[in-house]
Amino acid sequence: MPHHWLPFTVLVVALLFVDLVLLQRPGRRISVRTAWIWTVVLALIAFGYGGFIASTTGPQRALEFITGYLIEGSLSIDNLFVFLLLFRSLQLGEKQQRRVLLLAG
């Protein structure tokens, strides 16, 4: 089981690099289309990792991983609603919203 952590850790570090270094450049706006594309790509990576887990440790572990992924995804939608309410009530501009999200993440 420990040999599964190395590829997982490498993948997480690579995705963090892409998000925090490449996509978060000052003055860069992410379109809705680009955001949806990234959402689909990341979901495909997660389901691919679930397939890897299924092939190496069995379907029960893969089901647990996919279930956790889907629950976490549904909870993040709730967080988006809360952030939207906070940003609107505090009347934060786009630049301030981005700063708050980077500090909160």
Side-chain angles (χ1 to χ4, degrees), residues 31-74:
S31 68
V32 174
R33 182 174 190 264
T34 302
W36 274 110
I37 289 170
W38 272 105
T39 301
V40 169
V41 167
L42 294 174
L44 288 174
I45 290 172
F47 284 107
Y49 190 72
F52 172 74
I53 291 173
S55 67
T56 56
T57 62
Q60 181 61 37
R61 297 277 185 191
L63 182 61
E64 291 169 1
F65 172 78
I66 296 297
T67 302
Y69 178 80
L70 293 174
I71 289 171
E72 189 65 32
S74 66

Side-chain angles (χ1 to χ4, degrees), residues 2-105:
H3 63 281
H4 293 184
W5 287 107
L6 181 61
F8 179 78
T9 303
V10 168
L11 180 65
V12 168
V13 169
L15 290 172
L16 280 171
F17 175 78
V18 168
D19 184 32
L20 297 176
V21 175
L22 300 179
L23 295 177
Q24 297 298 327
R25 293 186 301 232
R28 179 184 168 119
R29 287 192 59 153
I30 303 294
S31 68
V32 174
R33 182 174 190 264
T34 302
W36 274 110
I37 289 170
W38 272 105
T39 301
V40 169
V41 167
L42 294 174
L44 288 174
I45 290 172
F47 284 107
Y49 190 72
F52 172 74
I53 291 173
S55 67
T56 56
T57 62
Q60 181 61 37
R61 297 277 185 191
L63 182 61
E64 291 169 1
F65 172 78
I66 296 297
T67 302
Y69 178 80
L70 293 174
I71 289 171
E72 189 65 32
S74 66
L75 291 174
S76 69
I77 293 170
D78 178 38
N79 289 343
L80 289 173
F81 180 70
V82 171
F83 277 122
L84 181 64
L85 285 176
L86 287 171
F87 292 160
R88 298 282 186 226
S89 66
L90 296 173
Q91 299 176 352
L92 296 178
E94 186 176 324
K95 188 174 182 179
Q96 293 169 318
Q97 291 175 16
R98 187 177 218 153
R99 185 170 178 219
V100 167
L101 288 173
L102 286 174
L103 292 174

